[in-house]
């Protein structure tokens, strides 16, 4: 499967492709947005992500892939798409569940060297967007 991580379905001409990468932007700066993988119009995987262009920071949260599509590289596509959209950002993740599967998934990712796993580093815009007081 060849995927352009920088181009999402709303930015490209409509095609008859059955597998598409789509993005739902957040409602406000620093809010939670979503990157989706859709198969024939049905979402089969998604990633919640907070990004702030002002602070050049990003937090990955909740990578979800439907059971029948696990271990096909779809989660990796979602993570890579987010990181591509925030190239040069300071990245972190929210808590990672302590399972062999989750550990193996994150260990297999090609992440920025300074990315912090399991400890979200939110900027003030992100904290405000999710209701945390800074």
């Amino acid at each position: 499967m060849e995927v352009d991580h920088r181009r999402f379905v709303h930015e490209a001409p409509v095609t008859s492709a059955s597998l598409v990468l789509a993005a739902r932007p957040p409602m406000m700066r620093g809010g939670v947005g979503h990157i989706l993988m859709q198969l024939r119009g049905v979402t089969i995987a998604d990633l919640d992500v907070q990004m702030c262009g002002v602070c050049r920071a990003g937090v990955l949260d909740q990578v979800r892939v439907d059971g029948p599509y696990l271990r096909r590289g779809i989660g990796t596509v979602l993570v890579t798409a987010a990181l591509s959209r925030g190239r040069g950002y300071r990245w972190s993740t929210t808590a990672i569940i302590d399972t062999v599967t989750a550990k193996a998934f994150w260990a297999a990712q090609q992440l920025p060297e300074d990315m912090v796993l399991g400890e979200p580093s939110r900027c003030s815009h992100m904290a405000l967007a999710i209701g945390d007081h800074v």
Side-chain angles (χ1 to χ4, degrees), residues 96-100 102-103:
I96 296 172
I97 58 172
D98 190 19
T99 65
V100 171
K103 288 178 183 178

Side-chain angles (χ1 to χ4, degrees), residues 56-130:
R56 301 194 51 78
V59 176
L60 300 180
D61 182 18
Q62 297 295 324
V63 180
R64 292 178 292 269
V65 179
D66 287 353
Y69 304 101
L70 288 171
R71 302 177 104 28
R72 297 182 186 210
I74 294 172
T76 296
V77 168
L78 297 174
V79 169
T80 303
L83 296 175
S84 293
R85 301 290 273 200
R87 196 173 307 279
Y89 280 29
R90 173 181 41 89
W91 283 99
S92 62
T93 73
T94 56
I96 296 172
I97 58 172
D98 190 19
T99 65
V100 171
T101 303
K103 288 178 183 178
F105 172 79
W106 287 106
Q109 302 309 300
Q110 294 183 353
L111 303 172
E113 280 184 34
D114 59 347
M115 185 167 180
V116 177
L117 297 178
E119 296 178 27
S121 180
R122 292 185 174 93
C123 70
S124 58
H125 300 110
M126 292 177 188
L128 181 65
I130 63 168

